[in-house]
Amino acid sequence: MVRQPIEVYRGLVEVRLADGIIGHISPLVSRFSNDIFAGQKTADHLTRFLALFSRFTAFLSSSATANLDNLEMAVDLLDYFTSTSKWWVISRKKPCIIPRPPSRDPRDFLKSIADIQLGSDASGRITTSTEKLSQFLSEHGIADGRTRQALCESFGSIWTLLSGFVCRSQGRGAISEADFEAGYDTFRVMLFYVPIEDFMALTAIRRVGTNDKLPRIARIAVAAGFERKLDSSVAARLERLHGENLAKVAVLTSGASRAVLTNSLRFIAQLATAEKGVPSIEDTEYETMIEQAIEILQKAGVDSSLFQDENAVAKLFKSLRISDEMAERISLVTRRLEGLIIDTAGSHDFLLQYSRLVPRLVSLLLLLASGTRPPSDTPLQDVDMKKGLMSLNQLLSERSSP
């Protein structure tokens, strides 16, 4: 195991919730206060879920206190379980959270679990597992009796919720022992195997996709003269030289990967222009804007040699020659971003009107994911993409001026 049970359980009881966290949880779950699921208020189950995962992500971050950022990660995790499907296929061999586009409304889904019955076999397994956990905590002297009981209640609620989510996702009305097994295994992998980057990435992708700068960036016009200069730059020449190596991932990203350098520079230039409140980028600003964009990317950890050195570019494009599995995950992230941007813009036509926004955004994600990791001959990995999402969120959240 990556993390030992004693280490995790002790951490969960030692991390405290910051003042006011419960006060923030209460309005989030209040709409379910009249719903009963598995003999208890759905709101009580959800409160325990959010409080425990807030403490858990704080523990993974080596913090003694769970704050609003940790609660945000817990809420995003709950949204992931309730709005997507197939999350229960997570395993010890592949202990990673795969960001997916939603397939249902999470609020309606949570409302619907009140109609599910907890089967006797599943109920018995939850009771037995809770008793075993209590005994384990007692034998190892972890916390006092009251604290142990509270932790066991939280585990019981999470097992119950996850079992119910699996059951409901598969269109059944009674939770079976197999549903419990899926929920139990998922929770176990989360506790002992999944890295903190996976939880942070769920929040990062939501923040990126709902960032109010994106609609403004999309509307920034780029002068034809600026485009011609960029298309004749060293970076563009190197892309044309090496871009054909990325045919597979290019199909899944609307060609974004082939223009990972120039698309990223365009996007950063548009970001900087949008923050100035100016509607367009003129060709006379080319040198200034490109220099500023490269400085911004350097601050984010991208070496400036990637825009002019052929060996560096060749290595970058080699790292983006990824597996089918990673190509699929990039596609899922792209679709997730598209959905969030449409929701934020309030119109399904937005991305039809500004069709270049997402390819440029994904280009920047790929550049940050590959261009900021330690030197390696291996292709892009899942954790690299998630760190890239976090870097992208940070870049968008900060002022663009270097």
Side-chain angles (χ1 to χ4, degrees), residues 235-251:
R237 180 181 66 81
L238 292 172
E239 284 177 337
R240 289 191 289 272
L241 184 62
H242 298 282
E244 289 304 317
N245 294 325
L246 303 175
K248 178 172 62 179
V249 69
V251 171

Side-chain angles (χ1 to χ4, degrees), residues 60-115:
L60 292 184
S61 303
S62 301
S63 175
T65 304
N67 57 28
L68 286 175
D69 287 338
N70 299 115
L71 175 58
E72 189 175 10
M73 282 188 270
V75 172
D76 285 319
L77 181 64
L78 179 63
D79 178 80
Y80 174 73
F81 287 140
T82 54
S83 68
T84 66
S85 60
K86 298 183 180 179
W87 47 259
W88 54 85
V89 299
I90 192 170
S91 66
R92 297 179 188 181
K93 291 184 178 179
K94 294 184 178 180
C96 57
I97 299 173
I98 302 174
R100 302 175 186 272
S103 58
R104 55 185 173 242
D105 184 283
R107 299 172 188 84
D108 292 343
F109 184 79
L110 278 171
K111 275 287 185 182
S112 73
I113 65 170
D115 299 328

